[in-house]
């Protein structure tokens, strides 16, 4: 391959000289390190997720990468319909069999990781505005979908096999731009906006109410929730705020904006745009690693049986936590 989709060994050699294989800082586990992977692209990677078939990353020009036995390969080079529309977000069904992606010019659809094929549902409701985030919950073939666009609009859908029933577009935020969304398997939904607003839905996205965050004074960039009733949000001031269903708590991780969060019931990861990784365990948050690759980092993923913890970002940057 040529252009962006090529080997990055020379690029990663330079990254490795500065970051290399990094031991864990601020963590009791010293038997792991973060290693720069060698994906076949230098396109910006906007999102990384884990599926039943392992990890996938999506990004610039519609690139879709899959991690196969430790190696990264290109599954889609030009997006869902071959138009090269950039992909900004990815979300996985509860059984991990379908990965929904969303991005520029109304790009929206899913990649069936079992059948190894893409299905294009772009421009639903004739919306061609860029989708900034997508969320999915439920089993593949019967999943609930929610997408938000750069105009602050939210679109709900329910898939029935080969078709999707789309509801009317609504605006759940405070009038500011909605930046991220997460759904839980129990039909709870959460969105954040650029005015410090956090909104909750308990009916799959039909209705929304504000649950915070008064006096936040920050542009929220990311939200991650669990079915245990906990939701974490973060953004421009380096603070992670967590809601337990009643009260909010705040932890300052650093001075740099937090670009991405991932969490489950037991653990959480956060990464600053500059490249500092943080992990939350039983004793709270601690700095995990200072990657500082020289490229902005955009997304993190927790480990599964088929994939390690992952971080992706600009210029095809991928880091993997190895033991």
């Amino acid at each position: 391959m040529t252009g962006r989709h090529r080997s990055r060994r020379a690029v990663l050699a330079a990254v490795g000289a500065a970051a290399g294989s990094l031991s864990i800082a601020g963590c009791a586990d010293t038997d792991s390190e973060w290693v720069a992977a060698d994906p076949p692209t230098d396109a910006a990677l906007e999102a990384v997720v884990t599926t039943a078939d392992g990890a996938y990353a999506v990004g610039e020009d519609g690139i879709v990468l899959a991690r196969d036995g430790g190696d990264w390969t290109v599954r889609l080079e030009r997006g869902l319909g071959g138009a090269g529309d950039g992909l900004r977000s990815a979300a996985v069904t509860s059984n991990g069999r379908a990965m929904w992606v969303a991005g520029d010019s109304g790009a929206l659809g899913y990649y069936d990781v079992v059948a190894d094929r893409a299905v294009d549902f772009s421009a639903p409701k004739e919306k061609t505005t860029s989708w900034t985030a997508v969320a999915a919950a439920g089993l593949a073939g019967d999943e609930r979908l929610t997408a938000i666009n750069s105009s602050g609009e939210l679109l709900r859908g329910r898939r029935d096999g080969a078709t999707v029933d789309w509801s009317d577009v609504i605006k759940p935020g405070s009038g500011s731009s909605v930046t991220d969304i997460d759904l839980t398997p129990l039909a709870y939904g959460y969105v954040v906006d650029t005015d410090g607003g956090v909104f909750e839905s308990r009916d799959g996205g039909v209705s929304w109410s504000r649950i915070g965050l008064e006096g936040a004074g920050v542009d929220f960039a990311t939200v991650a929730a669990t079915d245990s009733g906990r939701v974490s949000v973060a953004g421009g001031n380096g603070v992670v705020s967590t809601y337990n269903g009643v009260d909010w708590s705040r932890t300052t991780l650093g001075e740099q904006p937090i670009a991405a969060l991932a969490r489950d019931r037991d653990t959480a990861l956060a990464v600053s745009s500059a490249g500092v990784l943080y992990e939350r365990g039983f004793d709270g948050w601690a700095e995990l690693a200072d990657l500082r690759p020289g490229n902005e980092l955009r997304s993190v993923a927790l480990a599964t049986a088929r994939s390690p913890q992952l971080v992706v970002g600009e210029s095809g940057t991928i880091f993997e936590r190895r033991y």
Side-chain angles (χ1 to χ4, degrees), residues 151-175:
S151 299
E153 297 175 321
L154 182 147
L155 176 68
R156 292 185 301 111
R158 185 69 179 257
R159 182 180 164 203
D160 182 9
T163 64
V164 176
D165 181 23
W166 300 106
S167 300
D168 291 335
V169 172
I170 63 172
K171 283 195 172 186
S174 60

Side-chain angles (χ1 to χ4, degrees), residues 29-310:
D29 178 10
T30 58
D31 295 327
S32 62
E33 60 185 10
W34 286 87
V35 177
D38 187 15
T41 184
D42 60 4
L45 299 176
E46 302 287 347
V48 61
V49 294
T50 53
T51 76
D53 189 45
Y56 284 73
V58 305
E60 190 177 7
D61 299 330
I63 189 79
V64 174
L65 303 180
R67 187 177 185 272
D68 184 9
D71 295 323
W72 289 88
T73 60
V74 176
R75 292 294 174 88
L76 296 178
E77 190 168 5
R78 298 284 295 170
L80 294 167
D85 294 322
L87 299 176
R88 297 168 177 256
S89 179
V92 182
T93 56
S94 300
N95 59 357
R97 296 172 65 91
M99 174 184 67
W100 280 84
V101 296
D104 297 340
S105 301
L108 184 65
Y110 72 90
Y111 190 84
D112 186 325
V113 303
V114 178
D116 190 22
R117 66 186 181 95
V119 180
D120 193 355
F121 286 99
S122 295
K125 294 285 186 178
E126 300 183 352
K127 292 289 182 181
T128 57
T129 306
S130 295
W131 300 108
T132 53
V134 64
L139 302 181
D142 187 38
E143 63 265 47
R144 300 183 307 278
L145 307 164
T146 307
I148 55 176
N149 66 22
S150 53
S151 299
E153 297 175 321
L154 182 147
L155 176 68
R156 292 185 301 111
R158 185 69 179 257
R159 182 180 164 203
D160 182 9
T163 64
V164 176
D165 181 23
W166 300 106
S167 300
D168 291 335
V169 172
I170 63 172
K171 283 195 172 186
S174 60
S176 300
S177 295
V178 176
T179 53
D180 198 18
I181 184 166
D182 198 15
L183 293 178
T184 74
L186 294 182
Y188 279 44
Y190 298 90
V191 298
V192 293
D193 67 19
T194 57
D195 192 33
V198 186
F199 300 85
E200 179 186 63
S201 173
R202 298 191 176 191
D203 53 16
V206 177
S207 59
W208 296 83
S209 60
R210 183 165 181 156
I211 59 172
L213 199 59
E214 297 301 327
V218 63
D219 293 355
F220 285 131
T222 179
V223 57
T226 73
D227 266 343
S228 62
R230 291 184 174 270
V231 56
S232 295
V233 300
N237 59 357
V239 173
V240 174
S241 298
T242 298
Y243 184 63
N244 63 8
V246 179
D247 300 311
W248 285 92
S249 61
R250 293 162 53 93
T251 303
T252 300
L253 301 186
E255 296 181 355
Q256 296 295 323
I258 300 300
L261 285 168
R263 68 165 300 166
D264 58 21
R265 185 185 299 267
D266 300 315
T267 189
L269 285 178
V271 64
S272 73
S273 57
V276 181
L277 267 170
Y278 304 89
E279 185 175 44
R280 183 190 59 77
F282 181 78
D283 295 325
W285 287 95
E287 184 176 317
L288 181 62
D290 190 345
L291 302 177
R292 305 276 180 171
N295 299 312
E296 185 174 312
L297 299 181
R298 302 284 178 83
S299 183
V300 295
L302 299 179
T304 68
R306 299 183 62 90
S307 175
Q309 291 180 349
L310 298 163

